[in-house]
Amino acid sequence: MKRRVCSYDMFAVPDPSFVLKDRVGEMYFCNLRCFCVRSVQLATRPNLFCTK
């Protein structure tokens, strides 16, 4: 059984949770606050759209 850990708080995620899926994998979030904070962090990263 795979253990779900919040991608922001690093706590165990309860069964009803927020999941962000893409081709590479999944990110789990405890609640909407964790999801929003992590989304803002990713979106405001300086080199988010830089390709090298």
Side-chain angles (χ1 to χ4, degrees):
M1 183 174 159
K2 185 168 61 168
R3 184 172 181 184
R4 295 179 177 184
V5 176
C6 181
S7 295
Y8 179 72
D9 281 342
M10 297 301 161
F11 292 124
V13 176
D15 194 23
S17 62
F18 294 89
V19 180
L20 180 64
K21 296 180 183 182
D22 64 1
R23 291 179 289 195
V24 178
E26 299 176 344
M27 293 176 77
Y28 299 99
F29 299 95
C30 297
N31 53 37
L32 190 56
R33 180 190 65 84
C34 292
F35 179 75
C36 289
V37 171
R38 185 68 173 146
S39 298
V40 168
Q41 286 178 341
L42 290 173
T44 57
R45 218 168 54 190
N47 59 354
L48 179 65
F49 297 108
C50 250
T51 57
K52 293 183 179 184

